Amino acid sequence: MKTIIDKRYPFYITMLFIIITFLLPAIAARADNLEKSLRGETFTDPLRTFPMPEEWIKKTIKYAKDAENADISIVMDQDIYHTLLPLIQKYGRDNNLKIKVKEGTCGIAAGMLAAKTVDIGGFCCPASKEDRLPGLRFHTLGIVGKAFFIHPSNPVENITSIQLREIYRGRIYRWSEVNGPNWTIKAIGRLHCQARPGHWRQLLDKDKEFSPRLNEVGSIPDMISQVVFNKEAIGWEVLTMVEHYRTLGRVKILKIDGYSPNDSKALSSLKYPFYRTYNITTWEGKGVENPRAEKLVEHLIKEFEKLDPDRFGFVSQSHLRKKGWRFKGDELVGEPLK
């Protein structure tokens, strides 16, 4: 037996060399290509402005009735609203300004900007092609890690980004396939902001690519509640919203590829690849500019730098720039070039 093994030893060494040199890189490349093909575009072209008629361009800003006496009128998506509201309120008090802030969605913000009834819009997503109105400027505060979470009784701690995509595609449908219990996976999704890049499109680009068994919900509380009350469920949301709705119950945050969503270093290097982009806007041009709003936006960008990066997974504009993320002016327009 020893002689046979000794004679075959060079063969085993050769096969191991072939596997390490050729097969493993090929498998890794195939997995990488699959992920790239499933992941959607993250940003739109900042140089392309959506065309509007001349009468719209000449239209000035006119606040809604509930903000008639305000110095600054703002509408923000609910994610960014809860993060920025305390900073805005303090700025208003410190500068003796009456600031009207409305909580909404990215769609509501886009609609009120298109109607020219607000000075500032806040988005949890990059701008869509239709959002890029003449005279509207986008300013990025930073990115925020998007967490995937499960029921606390589920023993799974970590899954790969490939496994996560296969779960939401319906290709993996039992937790035992990712070293968990023999439970059916109940995937929960909130496919908001269909017209905008980024957000859930980093997971799967098109809604039709999600499993037909996906349980789609329309609100953040519904997303969290579905996971709180179902031991088989998996859902997603930013950590600030998980904290905001903590009275609904506890969820367990998953690591993806070994990294947590509040690991700001992993986020900035894309080792943790799922995030939202927090953008706010200002107007440029006669009849639409508000210098007070511009100063507030400058202040908020600076204040975002001071937020604890590893509590909720915030990565500020300045840190993104250092890591090679691409900007046009104040707007984040691209991930680092590899």
Side-chain angles (χ1 to χ4, degrees), residues 44-63:
T44 56
D45 185 351
L47 299 177
R48 301 184 69 174
T49 301
F50 189 76
M52 296 294 280
E54 188 65 26
E55 62 183 30
W56 183 92
I57 293 174
K58 292 179 179 178
K59 185 178 178 181
T60 60
I61 301 294
K62 184 178 180 181
Y63 297 160

Side-chain angles (χ1 to χ4, degrees), residues 39 55 66 82 85 160 171 223 229:
R39 191 174 189 259
E55 62 183 30
D66 62 350
H82 289 289
L85 184 61
T160 69
R171 307 294 180 88
M223 170 72 80
F229 294 109

Side-chain angles (χ1 to χ4, degrees), residues 63-299:
Y63 297 160
K65 285 188 177 180
D66 62 350
E68 282 180 341
N69 298 318
D71 296 304
I72 305 171
S73 179
I74 305 172
V75 59
M76 292 189 170
D77 172 83
Q78 54 198 321
D79 286 12
I80 194 170
Y81 171 89
H82 289 289
T83 300
L84 296 186
L85 184 61
L87 301 176
I88 294 171
Q89 290 174 331
K90 183 178 186 302
Y91 183 86
R93 292 192 299 269
D94 292 347
N95 293 275
N96 195 29
L97 293 173
K98 184 177 181 181
I99 305 175
K100 176 65 177 179
V101 189
K102 178 181 176 66
E103 179 183 3
T105 63
C106 291
I108 291 173
M112 295 184 73
L113 287 166
K116 290 192 173 180
T117 57
V118 290
D119 299 302
I120 297 172
F123 297 79
C124 72
C125 312
S128 72
K129 296 175 182 177
E130 293 78 10
D131 293 332
R132 296 191 179 281
L133 302 171
L136 193 65
R137 299 290 176 264
F138 283 80
H139 311 265
T140 302
L141 298 169
I143 64 171
V144 185
K146 184 171 68 177
F148 290 84
F149 47 79
I150 57 179
H151 192 275
S153 67
N154 190 332
V156 173
E157 301 284 343
N158 175 72
I159 60 176
T160 69
S161 54
I162 294 174
Q163 289 171 330
L164 183 64
R165 288 186 170 93
E166 293 299 86
I167 285 171
Y168 274 96
R169 292 174 77 196
R171 307 294 180 88
I172 292 177
Y173 58 92
R174 301 197 75 84
W175 284 108
S176 55
E177 297 178 72
V178 289
N179 297 319
N182 192 27
W183 302 342
T184 301
I185 297 175
K186 303 293 185 184
I188 317 297
R190 187 172 72 90
L191 306 184
H192 63 99
C193 294
Q194 292 271 355
R196 294 177 183 86
H199 54 78
W200 53 264
R201 295 185 188 280
Q202 297 165 350
L203 181 65
L204 296 170
D205 184 29
K206 299 178 177 63
D207 55 2
K208 66 181 180 181
E209 292 172 347
F210 285 82
S211 168
R213 296 185 294 275
L214 177 74
N215 183 359
E216 190 174 349
V217 297
S219 72
I220 295 173
D222 285 345
M223 170 72 80
I224 295 171
S225 295
Q226 289 279 343
V227 178
V228 167
F229 294 109
N230 190 331
K231 69 177 185 179
E232 300 176 325
I234 179 173
W236 72 66
E237 194 44 66
V238 293
L239 292 174
T240 52
M241 290 291 96
V242 174
E243 173 69 14
H244 181 71
Y245 290 106
R246 64 186 181 278
T247 55
L248 296 174
R250 290 193 310 114
V251 294
K252 178 180 177 180
I253 307 301
L254 281 174
K255 289 184 177 180
I256 308 297
D257 298 324
Y259 297 97
S260 299
N262 62 335
D263 184 338
S264 61
K265 292 181 180 179
L267 273 165
S268 63
S269 63
L270 285 177
K271 291 176 181 177
Y272 189 95
F274 303 105
Y275 60 90
R276 288 190 184 150
T277 304
Y278 280 2
N279 280 319
I280 49 180
T281 66
T282 58
W283 291 101
E284 182 178 85
K286 185 178 179 180
V288 291
E289 288 183 2
N290 183 341
R292 290 170 171 169
E294 292 172 8
K295 289 182 180 179
L296 171 58
V297 167
E298 291 174 5
H299 173 77

Side-chain angles (χ1 to χ4, degrees), residues 43 140 143 277 279 320 325-328 330-334:
F43 301 95
T140 302
I143 64 171
T277 304
N279 280 319
L320 291 171
W325 292 65
R326 289 169 288 153
F327 283 78
K328 182 180 183 298
D330 273 341
E331 183 187 0
L332 179 63
V333 297

Side-chain angles (χ1 to χ4, degrees), residues 296-310:
L296 171 58
V297 167
E298 291 174 5
H299 173 77
L300 293 175
I301 291 172
K302 292 177 182 177
E303 289 299 302
F304 198 86
E305 301 279 348
K306 301 176 184 178
L307 298 178
D308 183 356
D310 292 325

